[in-house]
């Protein structure tokens, strides 16, 4: 039977911002709460021992630092159990922080924003209630991974292409609710999710969009509601827990051509970005093309990561790597899908535009047909066709972690250059190799991801990475570029950037938060939104204030 653990006490240490961080005094649950939770989900699914809880913490955080320590992990199997957990948590005034598979690496993993929260894990909720081949959509629960959906579609022999991000082990709902990227058609402008079932902070159940109609025939087919459309209210939010979601799919294409488009010279970056924008606006490039600087391209385009070394590579060494790997200064990973004649026509136009760039050229292109999937050898070829893979993590040494800073940038060469140069400057000052990925998230914008690499086994290396991340979020914010997906450590800082009219946006969302979650129970502090009970307090200590 689950039992409440006792607190342990330890020493304090220095947090990444120079303040005193928490290394001991691990949080525990109020007396009686564990028993009530076990009565709902079963004692095997209430994890209270510190070793068991630590299996769900962020593996990329500073070793020994317990700033984001949870008090328990609870794993429900049904929507009804989720509702009961929220009602119990409200009575005890204990915060609850949901995660799906906990694979949000580089952004805080499964750890809660507020110390002492219960981590609500959805690894048991793996149902796929519907896959509709005719209308090309699926419905998933929060524990369903990209690999799970792909396998289910293939097992049924359906004529559907499933979406995929770079790593297939994560949750579809979890990734979508944190504005993660997939690379196929509906990845652009985050079109893929449609129609949510949501457990509200008080345990009430809500269906968004056309799902508000009992027996709705269009819940996962139409994105609008009668009145305000609420789906986006639950993305990057702490206003509800999405426990079911529609996922738009596409037909398997008759022809498919994965592309690698290179510019050898860094000074052609602006021209390349503008060319991508025009190809997107003309409809020749769909989905989410991604441009990578030399070292990132070797890893993410070719599956050939360059071995790290203590000192950063010189400019000439990077040029030599770019030539040897055939990724130049920048390489773009993209794809074209469709009927064979359409694919060929688009390829001709893309090649004409790209080769007009002074140092632009393309890798040889092969057009594949249905049934050719087993011929793919690179993860880039697989991912853009919706075949999940784990190659990006499998080819990374176990001790190497990453921290992502992800500003939103106009899809305009001059703007991308400004952001890239600020990132390059700060990397150089920190003695790190420059590395950036530019996710073309739509026809008019991109998300420029600075993936800061560090040794997760070395506390000093971790602190240096988080110090750089904090500096980037602040400096890019001053330039007018907000972080699209901040790490737990930077959520308040990233939210501060959105300060128009004395933070009118945050004040409005706080009003909504206080109305639907008056006890401040659900994921307090997530993306800078705190309930009134914890607002303005030290996030590391706020749990006690919520319980008071």
């Amino acid at each position: 039977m689950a039992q409440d653990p006792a607190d342990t006490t330890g020493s304090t240490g220095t947090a990444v911002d120079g303040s005193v961080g928490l290394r001991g005094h691990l949080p525990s649950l109020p007396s009686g709460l564990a028993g009530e939770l076990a009565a709902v989900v079963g004692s095997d699914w209430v994890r209270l021992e510190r070793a068991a809880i630590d299996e769900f913490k962020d593996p990329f955080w500073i070793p020994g630092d317990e700033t984001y320590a949870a008090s328990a992990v609870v794993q429900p199997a049904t929507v009804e159990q989720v509702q009961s957990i929220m009602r119990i948590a409200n009575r005890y005034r204990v915060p609850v922080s949901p995660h799906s598979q906990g694979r949000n690496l580089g952004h805080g993993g499964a750890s809660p924003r507020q110390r002492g929260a219960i981590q609500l894990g959805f690894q048991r909720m793996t149902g796929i209630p519907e896959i509709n081949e005719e209308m090309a959509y699926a419905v998933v629960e929060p524990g369903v991974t990209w690999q799970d959906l792909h396998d289910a579609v293939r097992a049924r022999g359906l004529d559907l292409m499933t979406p995929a991000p770079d790593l297939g082990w994560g949750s579809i709902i979890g990734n979508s609710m944190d504005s993660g990227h997939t690379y196929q058609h509906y990845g652009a402008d985050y079109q893929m999710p449609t129609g949510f079932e949501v457990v509200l902070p008080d345990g009430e159940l809500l269906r968004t969009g056309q799902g508000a109609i009992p027996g709705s025939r269009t819940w996962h087919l139409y994105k609008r509601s009668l009145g305000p459309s609420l789906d986006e209210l639950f993305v990057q939010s702490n206003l509800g827990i999405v426990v079911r979601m529609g996922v738009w799919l596409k037909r398997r294409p008759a022809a498919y051509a994965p592309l690698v488009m290179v510019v050898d010279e860094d000074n052609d970056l602006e021209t390349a970005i503008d060319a991508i924008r025009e190809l997107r606006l003309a409809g020749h490039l769909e989905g989410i093309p991604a441009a990578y600087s030399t070292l990132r391209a070797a890893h993410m385009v070719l599956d050939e990561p360059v071995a790290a070394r203590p000192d950063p590579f010189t400019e000439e060494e990077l040029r030599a790597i770019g030539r040897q790997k055939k990724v130049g200064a920048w390489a773009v990973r993209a794809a074209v899908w469709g009927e064979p004649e359409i694919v060929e026509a688009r390829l001709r136009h893309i090649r004409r535009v790209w080769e007009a760039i002074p140092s632009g050229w393309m890798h040889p292109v092969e057009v594949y047909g249905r049934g050719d999937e087993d011929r793919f050898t690179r993860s880039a070829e697989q991912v853009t066709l919706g075949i999940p893979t784990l190659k990006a993590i499998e080819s990374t040494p176990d001790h190497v972690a990453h921290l992502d800073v992800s500003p939103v940038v106009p899809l305009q060469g001059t703007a991308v250059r400004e952001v890239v140069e600020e990132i390059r400057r700060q990397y150089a000052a920190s003695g790190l190799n420059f590395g950036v990925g530019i996710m073309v998230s739509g026809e008019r914008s991109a998300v420029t991801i600075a993936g800061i690499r560090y040794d997760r086994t070395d506390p000093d290396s971790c602190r240096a990475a988080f110090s750089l991340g904090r500096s980037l979020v602040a400096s890019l914010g001053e330039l007018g570029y907000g972080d699209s997906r901040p790490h737990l450590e930077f959520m308040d800082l990233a939210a501060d950037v959105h300060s128009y009219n004395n933070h009118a946006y945050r004040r409005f969302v706080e009003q909504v938060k206080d109305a639907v979650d008056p006890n401040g129970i659900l994921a307090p502090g997530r993306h800078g939104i705190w309930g009134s009970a914890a607002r303005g307090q030290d996030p590391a200590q706020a749990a006690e204030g919520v319980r008071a």
Side-chain angles (χ1 to χ4, degrees):
M1 185 69 181
Q3 298 181 1
D4 295 337
D7 279 5
T8 58
T9 303
S11 62
T12 61
T14 302
V16 295
D17 61 355
S19 63
V20 176
L22 297 174
R23 296 187 176 281
H25 190 68
L26 298 173
S28 63
L29 296 180
S31 177
L33 176 54
E36 290 199 41
L37 294 171
V40 172
V41 301
S43 58
D44 289 344
W45 304 106
V46 180
R47 302 174 187 269
L48 300 168
E49 298 76 19
R50 182 48 48 185
I53 296 171
D54 284 349
E55 293 178 12
F56 297 85
K57 73 192 307 184
D58 178 14
F60 288 179
W61 182 238
I62 303 168
D65 189 298
E66 300 294 346
T67 298
Y68 300 114
S71 57
V73 176
V74 180
Q75 294 170 286
T78 67
V79 172
E80 291 75 19
Q81 289 179 1
V82 177
Q83 293 178 272
S84 296
I85 291 166
M86 293 309 300
R87 291 171 181 137
I88 293 169
N90 270 281
R91 285 196 284 105
Y92 279 88
R93 300 292 196 271
V94 173
V96 172
S97 180
H99 70 266
S100 295
Q101 288 293 331
R103 305 294 190 183
N104 198 19
L105 301 180
H107 305 278
S111 295
R113 175 68 182 87
Q114 180 168 298
R115 177 181 169 83
I118 297 169
Q119 288 181 224
L120 190 62
F122 291 113
Q123 292 81 6
R124 300 172 67 200
M125 293 182 64
T126 57
I128 304 177
E130 183 180 5
I131 303 177
N132 189 312
E133 183 177 28
E134 180 182 10
M135 302 305 292
Y137 72 88
V139 181
V140 299
E141 292 184 346
V144 176
T145 69
W146 307 99
Q147 187 70 59
D148 292 336
L149 180 59
H150 178 267
D151 291 348
V153 168
R154 292 295 168 262
R156 302 181 196 187
L158 304 180
D159 184 33
L160 296 170
M161 181 170 66
T162 52
D166 285 304
L167 294 171
W169 62 359
S171 156
I172 297 173
I173 289 181
N175 182 274
S176 300
M177 292 306 101
D178 206 45
S179 295
H181 294 113
T182 57
Y183 294 96
Q184 299 72 40
H185 305 75
Y186 294 128
D189 292 321
Y190 307 96
Q191 300 172 75
M192 184 193 72
T194 303
F196 300 165
E197 184 170 85
V198 183
V199 174
L200 298 177
D202 62 358
E204 186 65 84
L205 195 63
L206 166 75
R207 287 184 172 179
T208 66
Q210 301 299 299
I213 302 171
S216 172
R217 303 285 296 276
T218 54
W219 183 16
H220 303 299
L221 307 180
Y222 181 74
K223 287 184 176 287
R224 305 292 297 175
S225 300
L226 177 63
S229 297
L230 302 180
D231 289 43
E232 289 296 326
L233 197 63
F234 300 106
V235 177
Q236 288 196 347
S237 109
N238 50 14
L239 302 176
I241 303 169
V242 177
V243 292
R244 182 173 294 191
M245 183 180 83
V247 179
W248 278 0
L249 308 176
K250 275 280 190 179
R251 295 273 178 258
R252 291 177 66 205
Y256 161 67
L259 308 179
V260 179
M261 308 187 301
V262 177
V263 289
D264 283 328
E265 302 298 332
D266 180 69
N267 58 17
D268 282 333
L269 174 62
E270 290 97 324
T271 306
I273 293 298
D274 291 340
I276 292 170
R277 181 190 65 242
E278 294 307 312
L279 288 168
R280 292 283 288 113
L281 286 168
H284 298 301
L285 273 181
E286 298 180 296
I288 295 191
Y292 299 95
S293 57
T294 302
L295 297 179
R296 294 290 183 268
H299 191 182
M300 301 304 296
V301 178
L302 303 182
D303 298 332
E304 298 176 8
V306 177
R309 68 181 195 185
D311 299 320
F313 293 103
T314 66
E315 184 176 336
E316 185 51 44
E317 286 171 330
L318 285 175
R319 288 176 66 87
I321 292 169
R323 288 193 297 267
Q324 189 266 324
K325 295 287 188 180
K326 295 182 171 57
V327 295
W330 297 90
V332 179
R333 184 182 82 182
V336 179
W337 309 266
E339 294 301 316
E341 61 274 18
I342 294 175
V343 169
E344 293 289 354
R346 286 179 173 169
L347 286 175
R348 287 193 298 272
H349 189 80
I350 291 167
R351 186 180 301 279
R352 186 164 56 248
V353 169
W354 199 257
E355 292 182 350
I357 299 170
S359 67
W361 62 280
M362 293 174 60
H363 284 211
V365 178
E366 182 170 359
V367 179
Y368 296 91
R370 290 185 180 179
D372 286 340
E373 290 89 344
D374 291 341
R375 297 174 56 196
F376 303 150
T377 59
R378 293 176 179 168
S379 60
E381 298 169 330
Q382 296 168 317
V383 165
T384 49
L385 192 57
I387 301 172
T389 172
L390 293 177
K391 287 183 181 178
I393 199 75
E394 290 170 346
S395 58
T396 302
D398 185 62
H399 70 284
V400 175
H402 67 273
L403 166 65
D404 289 346
V405 175
S406 312
V408 182
V409 185
L411 192 57
Q412 184 178 36
T414 53
V416 171
R417 172 63 73 186
E418 180 179 36
V419 169
V420 162
E421 290 308 314
E422 177 63 17
I423 294 170
R424 195 194 306 269
R425 180 186 69 80
Q426 295 211 31
Y427 269 52
S430 299
L432 296 179
N433 283 310
F434 172 70
V436 158
I438 302 169
M439 310 293 111
V440 180
S441 52
E443 296 176 348
R444 298 164 182 84
S445 64
V447 174
T448 302
I449 301 178
I452 304 167
R453 267 47 176 178
Y454 59 98
D455 183 348
R456 68 188 181 99
T457 67
D458 179 356
D460 289 337
S461 179
C462 294
R463 291 192 186 93
F466 281 95
S467 178
L468 174 57
R470 177 177 293 276
S471 177
L472 282 172
V473 171
S475 65
L476 292 168
E478 291 175 359
L479 293 173
Y481 303 110
D483 195 329
S484 66
R485 197 179 173 190
H487 187 280
L488 293 174
E489 179 69 9
F490 310 140
M491 285 181 174
D492 288 337
L493 178 62
D496 285 342
V497 171
H498 298 258
S499 60
Y500 170 76
N501 190 21
N502 190 27
H503 292 279
Y505 173 84
R506 181 164 62 195
R507 288 186 286 112
F508 175 78
V509 179
E510 286 174 345
Q511 287 181 295
V512 177
K513 175 69 172 173
D514 291 343
V516 302
D517 187 11
N519 296 321
I521 293 301
L522 183 57
R526 192 75 183 167
H527 294 291
I529 303 301
W530 295 90
S532 58
R535 204 169 292 151
Q537 296 186 40
D538 178 354
Q541 308 287 357
E544 298 306 320
V546 173
R547 294 176 190 174

